[in-house]
Amino acid sequence: MKKLKIGIAGLGRIGKIHLNNLLELNNVEVIAVMDPSFEAIKYAIGKGVELGLQNYKDLLEIKELEAIVICTPTNTHADYVEIAAKSGKHIFCEKPLDLNLQRINDVLKVVEKSKIKLMIGFNRRFDNEFCKVKSSVKSGFVGEPYLVKITSRDPAPPPIEYIKNSGGLFLDMTIHDFDMARFIVDKEIQEVYAKGEAFTDISISKAGDIDTAVIVLKYTDSTLAIIDNSRKAAYGYDQRLEVFGSKGMIQANNIMIDNNNLFTQNGVKSSLPMNFFIERYADAYKKEIIDFIDSVINNREVSVSGIDGLKSLQIGLAAKKSLKENRPVKVDEII
Amino acid sequence: MKKLKIGIAGLGRIGKIHLNNLLELNNVEVIAVMDPSFEAIKYAIGKGVELGLQNYKDLLEIKELEAIVICTPTNTHADYVEIAAKSGKHIFCEKPLDLNLQRINDVLKVVEKSKIKLMIGFNRRFDNEFCKVKSSVKSGFVGEPYLVKITSRDPAPPPIEYIKNSGGLFLDMTIHDFDMARFIVDKEIQEVYAKGEAFTDISISKAGDIDTAVIVLKYTDSTLAIIDNSRKAAYGYDQRLEVFGSKGMIQANNIMIDNNNLFTQNGVKSSLPMNFFIERYADAYKKEIIDFIDSVINNREVSVSGIDGLKSLQIGLAAKKSLKENRPVKVDEII
Amino acid sequence: MKKLKIGIAGLGRIGKIHLNNLLELNNVEVIAVMDPSFEAIKYAIGKGVELGLQNYKDLLEIKELEAIVICTPTNTHADYVEIAAKSGKHIFCEKPLDLNLQRINDVLKVVEKSKIKLMIGFNRRFDNEFCKVKSSVKSGFVGEPYLVKITSRDPAPPPIEYIKNSGGLFLDMTIHDFDMARFIVDKEIQEVYAKGEAFTDISISKAGDIDTAVIVLKYTDSTLAIIDNSRKAAYGYDQRLEVFGSKGMIQANNIMIDNNNLFTQNGVKSSLPMNFFIERYADAYKKEIIDFIDSVINNREVSVSGIDGLKSLQIGLAAKKSLKENRPVKVDEII
Amino acid sequence: MKKLKIGIAGLGRIGKIHLNNLLELNNVEVIAVMDPSFEAIKYAIGKGVELGLQNYKDLLEIKELEAIVICTPTNTHADYVEIAAKSGKHIFCEKPLDLNLQRINDVLKVVEKSKIKLMIGFNRRFDNEFCKVKSSVKSGFVGEPYLVKITSRDPAPPPIEYIKNSGGLFLDMTIHDFDMARFIVDKEIQEVYAKGEAFTDISISKAGDIDTAVIVLKYTDSTLAIIDNSRKAAYGYDQRLEVFGSKGMIQANNIMIDNNNLFTQNGVKSSLPMNFFIERYADAYKKEIIDFIDSVINNREVSVSGIDGLKSLQIGLAAKKSLKENRPVKVDEII
């Protein structure tokens, strides 16, 4: 069997996840990695990758390279995707493509012309809990959906320097939930109302960002959605979803660290939800990259397109505007 | 022991609940009931009540009557409270006092002058699940509250004629949740954003009402709350609450009909939540009326005041305005 | 409606439960109570009972008395039932009828001759959780039953003086589980193997009793059952049941004090099971006595017969023998 | 880093699990596999193993081979271990070592003389759920243990031919539970009482075996244990454990396929437990083989010794005797 020759740009936390998942696959060969850090390159070499580069363009010049996984910082995504598309490499790119809608539109045009595959990294679409909810919704088990509820809380905020460059809570964190809202019921968002506060850390507030948010979405067909977010849940990572419809309700609950229950005179004690995205979505990351490889090898449409990336950004920008102006904002106000 | 002599006006579903609960108490004597329906009066006589009247004023003329429980239709509440207050009878009145804020203000002035007790029937404040949440919040178990989430869904809408005179979903149904939002964290609401649709029944929409709603509340100290409502949950009565704060989260979950779990090849099957408010809040209704009686006998402040009734109505009116104008509405815009 | 005229003998903890439940019923009149303690009689008088006696025979001489509820100490049951039966009064008697099998047989003959109703107080048969399990088993939801599992643990042992006169753990506590084992699958027990220890208190061991036990039952058709007991569960009252069969398994789980869940950095904390039988089986006691009254009024067979009382005692005696001789004992070895 | 050179004998279901887990480790090299089936060898070659043999002795003649994983049929275990021990290879051997106690004793003597490591494959000791229970018990969270309860039910029986050669339910299936009973509280078993039936399949009964069993164990210090087994649970794989002690109780509950809950008018539906040991114990198998490799590389005692294998077999033989003679059997009766 011929193996797909792939490279990885960016070996931070997510880059390493993809590297390790790709190394387990039989139909892929990671022929090179790129990262400015020598330490990161050494990590990949130690795993058996033969070529480590510090410059993105050098990576793209490798002729036999067929596909690339982009996990570099957000502000490089658009350029890197453009370069790769022009070089005819298939692309898996972490979210978001860019924080500027026009820039994304331009990049997507380049991608379209180049005929390569571009998949955006919305990992939660591959999570077993959410896939089962989607499948139940599709099967009509809850009837016509009326309301989608998403709770997404992190155990702790990222460093303040990261936050400053993140585009803010809605573009960095809620963007996953915006994508989930579209994905879970296969419907588009029309209007956004967002409310938020910086409760946990004065530096977040000083950076002009928030750490706690509530967002109401209205789909084009009037279905409603609520998202609530926090950058800091004392009890860890909280990832819940609920779809309520004409025939019932389905919930995806947290996956707990274990299923032990301790009964003592003080009450019943059980374990917390799995701590953070690396553990919680370990399987989803695997399925995601397998799905990308499969779309390239079998020349089929990718599961998460550039348009998906664009749409969740657009909703995120609408949320930012809504928060600023304290009014519901139509998604198509954002252009 | 001297028993408090009490009368009940209105023997509908709620009136009968109060009647039966009062009949179980040792420190109360139900000396008369009033209802236009002969059937209803017969019901009370069958339970041992000696006097049944069809006219409210006749009831109020009973000299030895010390207190009255008002369960007549909403549009009579304000008048009946006024009359009772002027007669010097202590009053327990079902929510809402009235659908007009000014009218409530006027009534409350009369009540104040008369020095009688007036308690409003927000039964959920006496529910074990919610009381324990409140007590945990007060004890600081979740730290500083950031977000309150309330889910309140009915198994089926009331008759369309009832809906037409109900003041709409926010004043009839959500009003319980507005009160809960204030009660659970002991804070006041500043701003309301409401979104809603009539999904389940065209007649509700024709009546100008909605059956599904999402409401975002902002407290005066920036704490946030989300309420979601439905008039029709296929799986029954859904009453959940969650408070998320700096140190953790506490949830009040539904009470299920039973705790049986059936494991077969088709999955695990368990019971639905308790079907509707009469079963779900049976204990809360008992505690509520006991609490009212106790406030009268011991001459202490009532647990749920006329101001509480007024404030939840004000929030409800703000929600109505928000829905109509599709914008967040400050509670003090409503006067 | 004519009301059944009833008396209560014995106003201890259980007697008071029955008294209060009877006072709530419309088709019964508690015309007299009997208890050696003046305090207990005062309690009943305070509840509206008109006659209080200190002697059982005086109670039985009341002509209009139609039925009697016997809640006196175990060692009086057989005599009291005999006297009541001979007086033509219907009888509800707390378990066990006696600790001697021959004595029970004699009493049951008297009862049979007298044609009165005799119902034995196995309250758990009227518990919602267990009734639903039985009904599911009957409906074939778990197919052919293979194994019944019963867990029954008390929060704390009774006073040592009580234990000394109780007949031992198997006759005092497990007897409920023996009855449940028969009831839940409508089958008879053939063989018993019992193992037990006194772990919690040296005085229990000195009294020749145990506080922790495991009992294996074999039904006449080879279905198996396991019971485990403890006199002292640090976390309270533990009442679980499971039926495993050819098509699945059904469980009755504990009913918790509340459904709050508290999530903090230390884990998830939830409430303990309802503390003890008075709370846990409050509804069952009500249904039980209603059922007895109904059987008398409608002249139908009682739901729990003297034979049921006899059989669980016989199993209990087999368990005692098994523990002593450390071997499986056939129930019909006990005569 | 030097890699431990390892071989695998037997590439059935379990052999393949170990192969795949070993291939993921950095400190091991699988240099050869042995299986009579050409298909099985091809499977391993496809995974990158360079040498495939059809004869065990050929495998053992590889000089550089340092350790071996034995997954061949039970009746070869004793011989293969003996051969490997004499060749100075470290051994991981699937349970049971043999069905004959004397044979095991002889083998263990050979092992002892050879000074190689021998670890027995009791995979459940490495399961997260059970490890956490053991750790909680060790930490004293439940106080002094009084009762251990183990439920272990398979979704379907193995082929009847397998059953005929398996040594029977107690030696094939319950042996895991006997080991767990010892492991979870670090205590030895003194006495066994076993009861069982063939309910599900006449061919099992004809083969002289049972498919449903209840076993009562008494530890040397009087702690009690109950195990219940079934070869065929319609709802899948049921793996639960409970330790009850002076300060409380801890439970390890089943891990479910997912955490979705579907609420409809028919009730609440949720997922079944993970289907069978390959999925349920996937992580445990990984940790088990890592632990073995670690014990060899770091020259420390193995976590599951030959004595552990011997003791659970001894308990299993006692259970067989108990079932046959319908009496409690002391473990040291079995020699």
Side-chain angles (χ1 to χ4, degrees), chain C residues 146-147 149 151 153 191 193 195 197 199 216 222 224 228 230 234 240 242 244 247 249 251 326 328, chain D residues 146-147 149 151 153 191 193 195 199 216 222 224 228 230 234 240 242 244 247 249 251 326 328:
Chain C
Y146 294 156
L147 175 63
K149 290 174 71 176
T151 292
R153 299 173 189 155
E191 193 191 274
Y193 177 73
K195 205 80 194 167
E197 295 291 331
F199 286 127
V216 176
S222 292
L224 297 167
D228 75 86
S230 169
R240 284 173 286 158
E242 178 176 319
F244 168 68
K247 291 190 179 167
M249 165 177 69
Q251 300 175 319
N326 195 24
Chain D
Y146 294 156
L147 176 63
K149 290 175 72 177
T151 292
R153 299 173 190 156
E191 194 191 272
Y193 177 74
K195 206 80 195 167
F199 286 127
V216 176
S222 292
L224 296 166
D228 76 86
S230 169
R240 285 173 287 158
E242 178 177 318
F244 168 69
K247 291 190 180 168
M249 165 179 68
Q251 299 175 319
N326 195 22

Side-chain angles (χ1 to χ4, degrees), chain C residues 95-163:
Chain C
K95 62 92 209 166
L97 256 179
D98 197 85
L99 301 180
N100 180 294
L101 214 58
Q102 192 47 55
R103 181 77 182 101
I104 295 184
N105 268 315
D106 294 345
V107 170
L108 293 188
K109 272 175 208 155
V110 174
V111 167
E112 204 179 13
K113 219 181 285 177
S114 74
K115 308 238 162 115
I116 55 100
K117 313 271 177 210
L118 168 64
M119 176 160 154
I120 305 298
F122 282 121
N123 58 300
R124 294 184 195 171
R125 289 191 178 212
F126 298 90
D127 174 68
N128 186 37
E129 295 294 329
F130 303 140
C131 286
K132 293 218 170 173
V133 167
K134 176 161 187 168
S135 147
S136 293
V137 170
K138 246 187 174 163
S139 303
F141 294 166
V142 299
E144 201 57 46
Y146 294 156
L147 175 63
V148 172
K149 290 174 71 176
I150 299 172
T151 292
S152 178
R153 299 173 189 155
D154 284 354
I160 190 68
E161 281 315 307
Y162 175 94
I163 284 180

Side-chain angles (χ1 to χ4, degrees), chain A residues 145-147 149-151 153 191-193 195-197 199-200 212-218 221-230 232-235 238 240 242 244-249 251 254 326-328 330, chain B residues 145-147 149-151 153 191-193 195-197 199-200 212-218 221-230 232-235 238 240 242 244-249 251 254 326-328 330:
Chain A
Y146 295 156
L147 176 63
K149 290 175 72 177
I150 299 172
T151 292
R153 298 173 190 156
E191 194 191 271
V192 183
Y193 177 74
K195 205 79 194 167
E197 296 291 331
F199 286 128
T200 68
T212 308
V214 166
I215 304 107
V216 177
L217 304 176
K218 187 183 169 175
D221 72 343
S222 292
T223 301
L224 296 167
I226 321 173
I227 298 167
D228 75 85
N229 286 151
S230 169
K232 193 176 178 183
Y235 57 94
D238 192 346
R240 285 173 285 158
E242 179 176 317
F244 168 68
S246 56
K247 290 190 180 167
M249 166 179 68
Q251 301 174 318
N254 282 308
N326 195 24
R327 65 170 182 91
K330 294 265 183 301
Chain B
Y146 295 156
L147 175 63
K149 290 174 72 176
I150 299 172
T151 292
R153 299 174 188 153
E191 193 191 271
V192 183
Y193 177 74
K195 206 81 193 163
E197 295 291 331
F199 286 127
T200 68
T212 308
V214 166
I215 304 107
V216 177
L217 304 175
K218 188 182 169 175
D221 72 343
S222 293
T223 302
L224 297 166
I226 321 173
I227 297 166
D228 75 86
N229 286 151
S230 169
K232 194 176 178 182
Y235 56 93
D238 192 347
R240 285 173 287 158
E242 178 177 320
F244 168 68
S246 56
K247 290 190 180 166
M249 167 179 67
Q251 300 175 319
N254 282 309
N326 195 25
R327 65 169 182 93
K330 295 265 183 300

